[in-house]
Structures are given as C-alpha cells and as structure tokens.
Amino acid sequence: MRGLIRTLYSPCALLTMPVEEFVAGWISGAVGLALGHPVDTVKVRLQTQSGYRGILDCVIKTYCNETVLGFFKGMSFPLLSVALVNSVMFGAYSNALLYLSATHHHEHRANSPSYAHVLTAGSFSGLMQAVVLAPVDLIKVRLQNQTHSYGLRSPVGGPGAQYRGPVHCGACIFREEGVLGLFRGTWALVLRDTPTMPVYFLTYVSLCRAVTEPGREPGPMTVFIAGGCAGTVSWALATPMDVIKARLQMDGVKGLSYHGVLDCIRISVRHEGPWVFLKGLALNSIRAFPVNAVTFLSYENILKLIR
C-alpha cells in the first residue's frame, strides 16, 4: 500500500493518469447525492440525537418544523464537493488497478484484474476518499443536525440557527477549533471507509462477472443491480463506525465530549447498549441500493460517452 501511494502521488504518475474516471465519478457522485440526501439527513439525526422515537417520528418532526427543505440541509456544499470526493473514489480505484494490473478501465473485460487487486485498489480508494471527505462530511453533518432554518430564530424566542450555511459553518469551525477541527472524526472515517470500500468494489465486480459472459460488457440492468447490492452490503458493514463518526463530528456541540474513537465507542455502549451500532442501519440500506445503483449506472455510461 505504501508503494502504491508513493507511486500514484509522484509527479510523473499524476501527469499520466487517465482523467475520464475522475470526470465520470464527479458527475455520477452528484446524481447519487441528490437522490439520497433526504434519507441521509434522517439517518444522521437518528444517530446523533435522542429526541426521536424512530424513523417516522424523525420524518414527521423534520417536515413539521422545517418543511421539506429540512431534508436537504447541508446539500448545497456536498453537491459540489462530494461529487469531487466521488471522483477521487473512482479515480483512485481505477488508477490503482492500472498501477497493479497495468490495464485501463476499458480493458478490464478482456483482461480482468484479480480479486486481490480489486481489494487492494478498493482499500486505497477508501483511504483517499476518507481524507478528502473529512471536512466536507463534517460540515454536512453539522448542518443536518441543525433543526432551525438558516437565519431564523426559534418560535419561543431562543437562539436560532447556529450556522447560516456551509461556508459560515466551515468558517466557524475553523475560527473556534482551528484547521484540525475541520478534520474532526477523520480516524473514524478512515476506519469506516478503508475496510468497506474493498467490499464495495469486490461485490460489484464479482456480481458483474457472475452474470456476464467473459469478454462482454455487463448490461445496464446488471450494472444497476450489482451497484445497488454493492452499496447495500458495504453500508451494512459501515454502519457501526458510521455512528461513531457522526458522534465524533458532533463532539462538543450537543454537550458530550469524547477522547477519541475508543472513548466514543465505550461511552455509547455504556449509555445505549450494543444496539447503538445499528442506528441508521435500515435507512443506510434503504438509501444505499438506489443511490449506488444509479451512481454505478451513471459512471459506466458516462465513461462510454466521454471515450
């Protein structure tokens, strides 16, 4: 892995990397985000707030207090930046496979990379995605947990929204916590993505290969189903650390303070039991299939168009 990182980040490698995967990843990431953000907002609130009795209660309270716009809080910034993160994910994966197996994406059908290469490239992709995603995800989670509309005061005359938008949120975090504050929860994000992204890509590749004749391109329905299954499986595995990540990102905002990943795990289990790690599992699974099915279908078709 260290040799892979060193090689891919050398100046010569950066100049010779194919850029199609980054472009396709950017566009498909924006499409997937727009589709799944409302469900993601409900999931984040359930993981970090204790005032809801379940999914339906959270949906009703969010709609009644904030209208339908409440489900799209924190989306404007990620719509641009998460698309970039998605391009890093697909670009890092494809270029890692290029480094490991010396085959481009369009050559994978004729010269399929080994599953070991898929797993290694997936781990590298997850690591790169986590590092780039950390500040973006932090701002998204902070805004999603804000139950007042931007700039409005609460009905009882209390303080209104803490953040007026994504830029203001990032500026506040930087002013109050410094540069490191923007990377709060990064270790949990790395522990979530580095082991689950290999499963993500391995599930997609193995399902496509299982139902496609050797040397042929998988059909749109195959890509759609394989992508959806890959998202569901990987998010089911990622949910426990996703809970810890979200709580670390809200550290201090809700009055709780954690001294790292292990301390957050210990306190969460002590207060809520081991079932705390399954918070948001149903919503992650519901969101993961259509979002990742559309993401992979968009990614594969965009690659065909721009080549």
Side-chain angles (χ1 to χ4, degrees):
M1 180 70 77
R2 185 178 301 173
L4 175 61
I5 295 174
R6 186 185 302 115
T7 301
L8 287 178
Y9 272 88
S10 67
C12 292
L14 288 173
L15 289 173
T16 57
M17 277 185 180
V19 298
E20 296 96 333
E21 288 83 0
F22 290 96
V23 175
W26 185 300
I27 300 172
S28 62
V31 173
L33 175 69
L35 180 64
H37 194 82
V39 179
D40 187 63
T41 297
V42 177
K43 179 220 43 168
V44 168
R45 292 187 175 190
L46 287 173
Q47 288 178 336
T48 58
Q49 301 180 27
S50 57
Y52 303 111
R53 295 191 298 272
I55 296 173
L56 185 59
D57 183 51
C58 182
V59 171
I60 293 173
K61 286 182 177 178
T62 299
Y63 179 77
C64 290
N65 296 333
E66 308 164 60
T67 73
V68 70
L69 296 178
F71 297 102
F72 292 90
K73 278 190 172 176
M75 180 176 167
S76 58
F77 182 51
L79 191 58
L80 297 175
S81 50
V82 169
L84 172 62
V85 171
N86 210 63
S87 80
V88 170
M89 178 188 75
F90 279 109
Y93 171 74
S94 293
N95 283 286
L97 277 185
L98 174 60
Y99 169 80
L100 293 168
S101 59
T103 55
H104 291 270
H105 184 277
H106 60 275
E107 299 171 337
H108 288 171
R109 307 307 172 196
N111 186 19
S112 300
S114 68
Y115 287 130
H117 287 166
V118 171
L119 286 170
T120 304
S123 294
F124 175 73
S125 172
L127 177 61
M128 293 300 100
Q129 174 186 253
V131 173
V132 176
L133 178 62
V136 177
D137 195 60
L138 173 66
I139 293 172
K140 176 184 74 71
V141 168
R142 292 281 180 95
L143 291 175
Q144 285 175 320
N145 272 285
Q146 186 166 264
T147 55
H148 296 296
S149 298
Y150 299 149
L152 295 182
R153 300 182 66 82
S154 66
V156 295
Q162 181 179 0
Y163 306 118
R164 296 192 296 270
V167 176
H168 181 250
C169 178
C172 288
I173 295 172
F174 177 76
R175 184 176 63 250
E176 296 168 5
E177 307 175 45
V179 175
L180 292 180
L182 292 170
F183 289 87
R184 185 181 292 275
T186 299
W187 277 115
L189 198 56
V190 169
L191 291 173
R192 186 194 73 177
D193 289 353
T194 304
T196 56
M197 290 309 295
V199 176
Y200 180 68
F201 284 109
L202 182 64
T203 303
Y204 174 73
V205 170
S206 59
L207 286 176
C208 284
R209 288 184 186 178
V211 298
T212 306
E213 294 182 14
R216 295 179 63 88
E217 293 281 338
M221 186 56 64
T222 298
V223 171
F224 186 87
I225 294 175
C229 290
T232 301
V233 171
S234 61
W235 268 109
L237 296 175
T239 296
M241 193 53 64
D242 189 53
V243 174
I244 302 303
K245 183 269 305 178
R247 294 187 173 203
L248 287 171
Q249 289 173 325
M250 292 300 295
D251 188 19
V253 178
K254 296 294 182 179
L256 292 174
S257 183
Y258 304 110
H259 302 292
V261 174
L262 292 178
D263 186 54
C264 183
I265 292 173
R266 180 181 59 81
I267 292 176
S268 297
V269 171
R270 186 177 65 195
H271 289 170
E272 302 172 61
W275 294 108
V276 68
F277 296 116
L278 299 182
K279 278 194 170 184
L281 176 60
L283 285 171
N284 272 337
S285 300
I286 292 170
R287 178 178 65 97
F289 190 94
V291 167
N292 289 279
V294 170
T295 297
F296 265 108
L297 187 61
S298 302
Y299 174 74
E300 295 287 1
N301 282 284
I302 291 167
L303 275 181
K304 292 178 182 178
L305 288 175
I306 62 180
R307 280 194 167 129

